[in-house]
Amino acid sequence: MRMVDLITKKQHGKALTTEEINTMIEEYTAGKIPDYQMSAMLMAIYFKDMDDREKSDLTMSIVHSGEEIDLSAIKGIKVDKHSTGGVGDTTTLVLAPLVASLGVPIAKMSGRGLGHTGGTIDKLESIPGFHVELTQEKFIELVNKNKVAVVGQSGNLTPADKKLYALRDVTSTVESIPLIASSIMSKKIAAGADAIVLDVKTGAGAFMKTTEDARLLAHAMVQIGNSVGRNTMAVISDMSQPLGFAIGNALEVKEAIDTLNGKGPADLLDLCLTLGSQMVHLAGIGKDLDEARSLLEESIENGKALEKFKTFVASQGGDISVIDNPELLPKAEYQVDILANRAGYISEIIADELGIAAMILGAGRATKESEIDLAVGIVLHKKVGDAVKKGEALLTIHTNKEEIPEVEQKIWEGITIADSAAPIPLIHEVIT
Ligand code: URA
Ligand code: CA
């Protein structure tokens, strides 16, 4: 196999064979194929696409480029959830205990946040004492005992993806459906998932700006998962405005606790129940998605989901008194309300702008090395479609800096009040 011939083949829109894909990824990971040739291949894939079989082959070749987590010591079907990323997305904090409360094992490997979207680990670490440094043995023991544990990323998983992603970043080949789909799916599979639920976001705050692109990506990932023996379902959900009300680490933990108490924002609850019912159903519980959803609703009502959250937090060293009393979570020094400058209806709360505003406050990392401030962030009081009076508080900024003109400016770039506006639907499509 000569790499130049494979580039020519793909350039002409022909499908690469399984063996060609496997050899190419193996040799690229080993440093035997130079970046300039792989760059040309990525550009050829970008323009010529891949068929379903090629996408599955590419995914599995990336899985096999490194270690794979072996979760076979955990009893039951391990279902993982992946979100393509958004602003104020608190779903994992709610879903992990909620789904586990029905006996579904949740063995979650999570990351820290980069940029204006938060990471689950950062959020959890705003609970005093909570830690994610668990050995593989302890992690498995906790999942078997409590049905839920979260561990930080470790090990040499999918090294081919790390190399390819860095190369795509500098060759303008990130936005390619086969490349994104194989990148995301390879990481979930290498992390040991038996079944996968995907939350593909669409809108201004999302990686996929249009619903059509989100749909193509979701279908590609579902096809890959199902064809490599991991039952996969997906939801396409709105990320044009932030999810729920809270953006920021400790603020989102409080929002998750409220949701597990049955007092959370309607959109966050709806998304958790939609994704959660897919997870429960894939784990073999409930005769259909509707029954799975009812079981989850019951678990919130009877307190089992919140109880499971306490067990989970306590077993990873966290102080559970914050769950009964969220006032004990890290708190910012100042609270500044942003007031409506006219009466009308909220027509826009651009997720990206609000996410960047929260990052400037210190809730997110501008670079990998940035320190984050767990207490700060933004709490919305209105969502798109809501009526406002002049002078009414649209949102509250939680800050440890006295002067925040840049943050206020960003927020005003993101919010529009118009004469009329309709609410934005949250769920665009459910793919089963
Ligand atoms: N997220 C990933 O993990 N991979 C991509 O290619 C794009 C987004
Ligand atoms: Ca939120």
Side-chain angles (χ1 to χ4, degrees):
M1 182 201 86
R2 291 198 317 154
M3 184 63 179
V4 65
D5 298 331
L6 295 193
I7 298 168
T8 308
K9 192 173 178 186
K10 185 42 79 184
Q11 192 180 41
H12 291 155
K14 299 208 179 85
L16 304 177
T17 67
T18 304
E19 198 195 343
E20 284 166 345
I21 290 171
N22 287 344
T23 310
M24 174 175 81
I25 295 301
E26 242 168 65
E27 295 195 352
Y28 179 61
T29 310
K32 292 183 199 153
I33 291 172
D35 279 349
Y36 53 80
Q37 284 190 310
M38 189 51 90
S39 303
M41 175 59 83
L42 293 171
M43 192 58 83
I45 295 171
Y46 179 94
F47 281 113
K48 297 295 180 178
D49 206 350
M50 288 181 128
D51 66 23
D52 287 350
R53 197 263 312 146
E54 286 179 287
K55 281 180 244 176
S56 302
D57 285 344
L58 178 59
T59 302
M60 293 315 290
S61 69
I62 297 173
V63 171
H64 296 142
S65 72
E67 286 171 41
E68 288 170 60
I69 306 279
D70 179 5
L71 298 179
S72 57
I74 296 171
K75 297 179 278 292
I77 299 170
K78 279 76 70 183
V79 189
D80 201 358
K81 188 233 27 160
H82 177 80
S83 150
T84 58
V87 174
D89 186 352
T90 321
T91 52
T92 299
L93 296 190
V94 179
L95 274 174
L98 175 59
V99 172
S101 73
L102 297 184
V104 178
I106 302 294
K108 186 124 195 96
M109 184 177 271
S110 264
R112 293 183 190 279
L114 182 61
H116 63 279
T117 61
T120 297
I121 290 186
D122 298 316
K123 294 173 194 178
L124 285 167
E125 282 179 350
S126 48
I127 300 172
F130 191 94
H131 68 92
V132 293
E133 291 82 29
L134 303 173
T135 61
Q136 181 76 2
E137 294 71 36
K138 184 75 187 166
F139 177 57
I140 287 172
E141 181 198 316
L142 285 179
V143 180
N144 274 332
K145 187 161 136 230
N146 302 326
K147 298 295 170 195
V148 52
V150 173
V151 69
Q153 266 143 12
S154 66
N156 181 31
L157 301 191
T158 61
D161 177 64
K162 292 190 185 83
K163 268 190 97 171
L164 287 169
Y165 201 91
L167 193 58
R168 287 164 60 205
D169 213 17
V170 293
T171 56
S172 192
T173 51
V174 169
E175 283 172 40
S176 152
I177 301 278
L179 298 178
I180 300 169
S182 57
S183 166
I184 292 174
M185 291 302 284
S186 64
K187 283 177 278 206
K188 291 284 118 182
I189 294 168
D194 298 322
I196 300 163
V197 169
L198 301 159
D199 180 12
V200 180
K201 308 282 195 186
T202 174
F207 194 62
M208 295 280 116
K209 303 291 177 205
T210 69
T211 307
E212 195 38 45
D213 283 346
R215 197 164 273 143
L216 289 172
L217 177 62
H219 282 279
M221 293 194 289
V222 168
Q223 190 279 326
I224 291 172
N226 288 337
S227 76
V228 302
R230 268 73 169 187
N231 284 336
T232 301
M233 292 186 181
V235 170
I236 297 172
S237 73
D238 176 71
M239 190 37 78
S240 55
Q241 64 179 331
L243 184 65
F245 295 121
I247 309 165
N249 298 285
L251 297 168
E252 288 187 46
V253 169
K254 178 176 184 307
E255 183 166 72
I257 296 166
D258 289 345
T259 306
L260 289 165
N261 262 315
K263 295 175 193 141
D267 61 343
L268 176 61
L269 176 64
D270 185 21
L271 186 58
C272 289
L273 291 172
T274 306
L275 293 165
S277 54
Q278 292 190 337
M279 294 172 77
V280 167
H281 186 62
L282 285 172
I285 297 175
K287 68 177 191 308
D288 55 20
L289 291 174
D290 287 341
E291 189 176 315
R293 192 179 177 107
S294 306
L295 292 170
L296 292 168
E297 283 169 335
E298 237 171 70
S299 198
I300 291 178
E301 277 157 30
N302 64 22
K304 284 205 175 120
L306 189 71
E307 208 42 55
K308 184 57 80 178
F309 189 55
K310 285 185 187 168
T311 307
F312 157 59
V313 167
S315 66
Q316 296 197 218
D319 176 3
I320 58 167
S321 62
V322 305
I323 298 173
D324 291 322
N325 190 1
E327 294 300 305
L328 298 173
L329 286 164
K331 230 183 161 142
E333 197 167 344
Y334 308 100
Q335 301 196 359
V336 182
D337 286 342
I338 296 289
L339 309 179
N341 51 10
R342 55 163 287 190
Y345 291 84
I346 309 277
S347 62
E348 210 173 40
I349 307 178
I350 304 173
D352 262 359
E353 305 287 2
L354 277 282
I356 293 167
M359 184 178 78
I360 300 169
L361 285 169
R365 291 184 181 82
T367 70
K368 257 189 203 151
E369 286 72 36
S370 316
E371 285 275 335
I372 59 171
D373 184 338
L374 296 168
V376 303
I378 294 167
V379 177
L380 304 174
H381 305 306
K382 301 282 176 185
K383 302 283 298 226
V384 171
D386 287 350
V388 288
K389 300 189 196 84
K390 186 172 179 188
E392 198 180 354
L394 298 175
L395 58 86
T396 303
I397 302 171
H398 294 245
T399 172
N400 282 321
K401 298 175 201 148
E402 222 167 327
E403 296 290 321
I404 46 167
E406 211 188 334
V407 173
E408 292 180 22
Q409 190 196 332
K410 263 281 158 228
I411 286 171
W412 279 118
E413 282 167 17
I415 296 185
T416 309
I417 304 173
D419 293 337
S420 69
I424 304 172
L426 173 70
I427 311 274
H428 291 282
E429 193 177 334
V430 176
I431 304 166
T432 58

